[in-house]
Amino acid sequence: MHAILKKSTQLLAVASLGVMLFSANASAANEQYFPLQSYRIGPYAAGGTGFFGGFIDYLQYVNAKEGGVNGVKFTWSECETEYVVEKGVECYERLKKGLNGAPAAATNPLSVGIAYATLERSTADKLPLITINHGRTDSTDGSVFPYAFPLQLNPYSEVSAIINYIAEKSGGLDKLKGKKIVTLYHGSPYGKETSPILELLAKKYGFELTLLEVPHPGNEQQSQWLNIRRAKPDWVILRGWGVMNPVALKTAQKTGFPTDRIIGNIWSNSEEDAAPAGAAAKGFISITTHPSGTNFPVLQDIDKFVVKAGKGNLQDAKRFGTVYYNLGVVNGILNVEAVRVAQAKFGKRPLTGEEVRWGFENIRLDDKRLKELGALGLVQPLKLSCADHEGGGAVRFQQWDGSKWNVISDWVQADRKLLRPIIEESARQYAKEKGITPRDCGKEG
Amino acid sequence: MLYRESGQFVTSYRADQRVFRLWQERWGLALLLAVAFVMVPFIANDYWFSAILIPFLVLSLAGLGLNLLTGYAGQLSLGSAAFMAVGAFAAYNFHLRIEGMPFLLSFVFGGLAAAGVGVIFGLPSLRIKGFYLLVSTLAAQFFVQWVLTNFSWFSNNSSSGVITAPQLIIAGHDFSTPLGRYLLTLGIVAALTVLALSIVRSALGRNWMAVRDMDTAAAVIGISIARTKLVAFAVSSFFLGIAGSLWAFTYLGTVEPHGFDLTRSFQILFIIIIGGLGSVLGNFLGAAFIVLLPILLSNISNNLLAGAIDPGQLENIQKIIFGALIIFFLIKEPDGLARIWQSLKRRARVWPLRF
């Protein structure tokens, strides 16, 4: 009898715990919520902690310095995805409803897989899906993908900008003829995604393109680099990921290929990619949509208001101002700007996802506005619209000096006019498969 | 008191051979199905459908597929995720390339394609056993993923290699809502579970178990070992193929080859080890353990401890707890959760008069 009593008390305790968990809904405050599908453990933790650290710190900074946007403070909560798709979906479903009555503004999974899996859900739930610098290329066409935003740079623009930079270095697009370019790519859908565009550009400009695959994870590249040495290319584009990047740099040095002729793409451009290669990385060039470093007013303000106040999100304070961290800050700036733009139209209150989408589509960042934000040079000028969900398409180039990245070029623009028909064609095919009627962007205000 | 067979006499062979001989069991099952089909749709929300119930059902089905092979026929395999991938990509291509192909039929063809691939990769089982077979099925895992990544025809030349699910329209009904996807998944999983229950009780299932327990003895009494093993691979892969299609189309709505990597194979293997080898119910219990427990832990810790502990640490603590629970259950009951359920039933029969 005693045992039974004890059992039932335990049961009761568990049950009441459950009730407590599911009834923790305080009344709504004047707050706007960001659901964060973050990843702080697992193989990609370096990217996740940096990016979400920067994002959270920027939100904290806006709250601390200006008391939010027009009095609407930001709130957020995290859900760990480990970069795993189904965990990301679970997190999306868990967090999309908002927090304590504060409506969700947008989701920022920073994972291609999760973005793909939540694309249709986002559209159905009317919640913007932000895939800064990555994501589905054809979601640039906002008439078919109203809620997906590959802000700043989609994968096609990325390679186009690299080719344009090579042309600039060689003295013009017509000088590309006869040049030899090797692309060393990660053996995954991500790695192969841009191959058709590279082939198209090779045909158009007459350079000789060799595509070489490195099987995942890429910790053995001897044969590929021997091939490269045999081909004697003018440039190597490194489309790597994770451990593949430092190994490529080390093997390049071993086989005697000059490091300053290797251009890393958007996922080969962080401190974590170059530093492990040690001296072999010196001279390595990569693209970036935002410089690293702390010399921007907005970063110094974050330092003053958040980090010095002991509220910084980074565990390792030395990572302040690194590529991933700054990407988080840039992402924060763009999200907050969208909320600000939308508030100007819909009123100074917490907004729904649909209203925030309008904000994203009407982001206008020119040099003047960027200066006000303290982000001139950190964020590229950006103008989004109903039809164009990318906006920028420009990158800067940076070079590793053995301990940090130095920016070595101004903004280099992708040839977006050339890419647009390909994107539209792909979007149209998607719309047909899914039975979507594209929006008429002429009617959108 | 409530659960016992006293007074229930069978008067025909037919009645004697039923899967559920006691009325209590039949009513219990009917009640469970009624709850799943009728009550859950009324009380659950999007989060429960899309993030908890659908993956739970799909992984239960995948576990069931592997359990037929490993638990019943005794053939170890680490290629489960590969067969799921074959099913998913085959169903996608059948539906895409054959005009007017009904949705459910493309699932079936996807399953059949997976069965074919399963038989091919089951061939080594005729010569090797145990851990060596495990290693050879690993080849399926890497080979299938490689093929799907490198030949873009399989993903309809999509530049990113990711396929998206077509619209879920069956006989004019749209199943794209979370509720619709749940009901579709539940219906298919329930039907296949009935099929599995009948298979393991049929002559085929008995042959499997004979081969599992001692293949020499099985051969002596006239069972064709080669045929039995290959059929086991085919049936198991069929179930896994359907599970793969469901994973791609009703759960995620999109799929890339990377989604069916070795980790998924291990996950399915853990489901059947924790749930119980050689049991149908065990797959559901195992999937519940593997899928639901981490989500529960994460919800509890986020609600109680968020802010107090660094989020990264919090995740690691959850992993430690989850791992400890697995060890605890396997020490308490090495035969899996299904065995716990059986012993509960045995105790219920004599309750409350134990002596």
Side-chain angles (χ1 to χ4, degrees):
Chain A
M1 190 62 207
H2 184 66
I4 294 173
L5 208 68
K6 204 172 148 199
K7 273 257 164 66
S8 45
T9 343
Q10 280 173 355
L11 265 178
L12 206 69
V14 171
S16 52
L17 186 71
V19 170
M20 229 167 69
L21 290 181
F22 291 101
S23 60
N25 272 331
S27 64
N30 197 24
E31 286 178 333
Q32 185 84 49
Y33 169 66
F34 277 101
L36 301 182
Q37 297 145 286
S38 60
Y39 44 100
R40 292 176 180 277
I41 58 172
Y44 313 114
T49 46
F51 176 82
F52 289 99
F55 193 12
I56 290 173
D57 279 357
Y58 186 76
L59 294 176
Q60 293 196 70
Y61 152 75
V62 175
N63 279 350
K65 191 185 173 204
E66 302 161 21
V69 172
N70 297 322
V72 179
K73 281 209 171 198
F74 290 109
T75 168
W76 56 89
S77 68
E78 290 188 65
C79 176
E80 174 72 33
T81 69
E82 293 177 42
Y83 206 82
V84 173
V85 174
E86 52 293 3
K87 288 198 171 204
V89 170
E90 195 266 327
C91 288
Y92 172 85
E93 296 286 347
R94 195 197 300 177
L95 303 180
K96 72 179 184 189
K97 286 281 189 295
L99 178 75
N100 301 337
T107 60
N108 296 267
L110 196 69
S111 149
V112 184
I114 297 173
Y116 267 86
T118 53
L119 179 65
E120 279 176 60
R121 295 165 204 260
S122 299
T123 312
D125 296 329
K126 297 193 173 20
L127 189 60
L129 167 66
I130 311 305
T131 52
I132 188 168
N133 289 1
H134 64 285
R136 208 187 149 106
T137 304
D138 51 12
S139 64
T140 303
D141 186 348
S143 63
V144 175
F145 298 88
Y147 284 91
F149 289 85
L151 292 179
Q152 297 201 100
L153 189 70
N154 65 36
Y156 287 4
S157 300
E158 184 188 322
V159 284
S160 167
I162 294 177
I163 297 296
N164 286 349
Y165 174 75
I166 292 176
E168 208 178 288
K169 284 272 143 187
S170 333
L173 282 164
D174 50 322
K175 297 281 189 324
L176 279 175
K177 202 167 183 66
K179 285 258 184 302
K180 277 187 193 160
I181 298 176
V182 168
T183 299
L184 193 66
Y185 64 90
H186 186 252
S188 66
Y190 143 76
K192 292 157 68 92
E193 175 156 20
T194 53
S195 300
I197 298 302
L198 278 164
E199 276 160 5
L200 179 93
L201 294 169
K203 216 162 151 201
K204 184 171 157 120
Y205 297 120
F207 60 85
E208 204 178 303
L209 176 73
T210 315
L211 296 166
L212 285 179
E213 177 175 323
V214 175
H216 176 80
N219 42 14
E220 177 52 57
Q221 301 173 22
Q222 197 69 33
S223 72
Q224 284 89 350
W225 282 94
L226 286 175
N227 272 332
I228 290 175
R229 198 175 63 173
R230 208 171 301 136
K232 294 200 187 67
D234 298 287
W235 295 91
V236 169
I237 299 175
L238 177 62
R239 201 171 161 70
W241 201 35
V243 68
M244 176 181 158
N245 295 318
V247 172
L249 295 173
K250 277 189 185 162
T251 322
Q253 193 197 35
K254 234 187 286 173
T255 52
F257 190 82
T259 320
D260 58 0
R261 291 273 153 170
I262 306 174
I263 302 182
N265 84 325
I266 200 82
W267 299 114
S268 315
N269 73 349
S270 72
E271 287 79 1
E272 284 80 1
D273 295 312
K282 206 170 165 194
F284 172 48
I285 300 172
S286 78
I287 68 170
T288 182
T289 54
H290 57 278
S292 52
T294 55
N295 290 334
F296 304 97
V298 60
L299 275 150
Q300 304 199 330
D301 267 6
I302 292 177
D303 193 35
K304 196 167 103 197
F305 283 93
V306 180
V307 180
K308 291 258 164 64
K311 290 189 289 185
N313 195 268
L314 287 176
Q315 266 192 330
D316 178 3
K318 279 203 284 296
R319 296 183 60 205
F320 185 74
T322 57
V323 168
Y324 280 128
Y325 183 87
N326 283 9
L327 180 62
V329 172
V330 171
N331 195 52
I333 291 173
L334 296 176
N335 275 279
V336 169
E337 184 69 8
V339 170
R340 191 174 285 133
V341 169
Q343 276 194 8
K345 178 181 163 97
F346 297 105
K348 294 168 183 171
R349 58 176 170 79
L351 303 167
T352 66
E354 198 175 1
E355 289 162 345
V356 175
R357 182 202 69 175
W358 188 90
F360 273 106
E361 286 186 344
N362 289 280
I363 286 183
R364 303 277 179 276
L365 288 179
D366 49 16
D367 284 355
K368 185 170 151 277
R369 180 70 192 134
L370 286 172
K371 202 159 185 183
E372 286 167 17
L373 290 167
L376 189 64
L378 180 68
V379 184
Q380 58 184 286
L382 214 58
K383 181 172 179 295
L384 277 79
S385 68
C386 161
D388 181 8
H389 278 192
E390 180 192 17
V395 295
R396 297 178 83 163
F397 288 75
Q398 56 181 5
Q399 196 163 27
W400 184 254
D401 69 357
S403 59
K404 66 174 192 311
W405 291 108
N406 297 314
V407 175
I408 55 167
S409 85
D410 205 356
W411 295 109
V412 176
Q413 191 64 41
D415 191 353
R416 299 188 65 216
K417 275 210 190 71
L418 176 76
L419 302 172
R420 184 73 194 182
I422 306 170
I423 291 170
E424 278 178 4
E425 175 54 37
S426 168
R428 197 158 48 233
Q429 199 190 339
Y430 177 87
K432 204 179 119 215
E433 246 176 68
K434 294 281 177 182
I436 298 170
T437 323
R439 287 188 294 165
D440 181 1
C441 277
K443 283 187 192 148
E444 296 277 327
Chain B
M1 192 161 67
L2 292 173
Y3 177 73
R4 58 179 35 181
E5 60 251 68
S6 64
Q8 300 191 46
F9 301 109
V10 291
T11 49
S12 65
Y13 284 119
R14 207 182 136 73
D16 194 37
Q17 285 179 346
R18 311 173 78 141
V19 180
F20 300 102
R21 275 180 52 189
L22 303 187
W23 67 263
Q24 289 94 336
E25 288 176 333
R26 289 195 292 276
W27 277 98
L29 187 72
L31 194 68
L32 186 71
L33 285 177
V35 167
F37 274 102
V38 183
M39 219 165 98
V40 168
F42 281 106
I43 52 174
N45 55 20
D46 280 10
Y47 173 63
W48 274 87
F49 289 133
S50 310
I52 296 180
L53 292 172
I54 296 178
F56 158 68
L57 286 169
V58 176
L59 283 177
S60 302
L61 183 63
L64 183 58
L66 182 62
N67 218 332
L68 291 178
L69 183 67
T70 304
Y72 285 96
Q75 309 301 307
L76 292 174
S77 162
L78 260 185
S80 325
F83 302 135
M84 285 175 79
V86 171
F89 277 83
Y92 170 76
N93 277 301
F94 276 117
H95 188 263
L96 178 81
R97 294 176 200 282
I98 299 173
E99 198 69 35
M101 175 74 114
F103 208 87
L104 285 178
L105 202 60
S106 63
F107 274 29
V108 175
F109 277 112
L112 291 176
V117 174
V119 169
I120 294 170
F121 282 98
L123 286 173
S125 70
L126 307 182
R127 291 279 171 196
I128 48 179
K129 284 186 206 167
F131 287 113
Y132 301 97
L133 179 61
L134 196 71
V135 174
S136 82
T137 54
L138 204 56
Q141 183 60 52
F142 290 114
F143 179 75
V144 168
Q145 223 178 329
W146 178 82
V147 168
L148 293 176
T149 312
N150 280 281
F151 296 92
S152 54
W153 183 85
F154 290 105
S155 47
N156 195 21
N157 299 318
S158 144
S159 60
S160 55
V162 183
I163 59 176
T164 54
Q167 287 170 294
L168 291 169
I169 293 176
I170 294 165
H173 291 283
D174 190 357
F175 282 89
S176 319
T177 61
L179 173 63
R181 288 186 285 125
Y182 164 73
L183 286 176
L184 181 63
T185 313
L186 182 65
I188 292 175
V189 171
L192 285 175
T193 307
V194 172
L195 181 66
L197 277 172
S198 343
I199 289 176
V200 297
R201 288 165 50 85
S202 69
L204 180 62
R206 286 170 212 280
N207 287 354
W208 284 350
M209 285 181 264
V211 170
R212 172 191 70 191
D213 292 342
M214 192 186 226
D215 51 357
T216 319
V220 166
I221 58 171
I223 296 170
S224 160
I225 304 283
R227 205 175 135 248
T228 310
K229 282 183 176 174
L230 290 183
V231 170
F233 266 98
V235 173
S236 154
S237 303
F238 178 81
F239 276 71
L240 284 163
I242 301 269
S245 303
L246 290 175
W247 184 267
F249 297 139
T250 63
Y251 174 36
L252 292 180
T254 161
V255 70
E256 51 176 338
H258 185 70
F260 296 111
D261 59 2
L262 189 57
T263 324
R264 180 88 48 235
S265 290
F266 275 120
Q267 193 184 24
I268 297 165
L269 189 64
F270 295 155
I271 284 176
I272 68 168
I273 290 175
I274 289 173
L277 290 167
S279 146
V280 171
L281 173 74
N283 304 304
F284 290 88
L285 300 178
F289 189 91
I290 294 278
V291 177
L292 305 188
L293 204 58
I295 296 178
L296 182 70
L297 281 176
S298 150
N299 269 307
I300 290 177
S301 60
N302 272 359
N303 278 313
L304 294 184
L305 301 170
I309 305 177
D310 174 72
Q313 300 281 15
L314 202 60
E315 285 306 313
N316 289 325
I317 293 171
Q318 287 170 37
K319 286 206 181 304
I320 294 170
I321 295 175
F322 185 55
L325 279 173
I326 290 179
I327 295 172
F328 171 78
F329 272 105
L330 286 182
I331 291 175
K332 277 295 234 187
E333 191 49 88
D335 292 334
L337 298 170
R339 179 55 70 85
I340 295 182
W341 173 249
Q342 272 176 4
S343 49
L344 276 180
K345 278 208 297 193
R346 214 171 38 241
R347 279 167 67 173
R349 264 165 65 178
V350 292
W351 185 84
L353 302 168
R354 266 199 281 170
F355 302 105

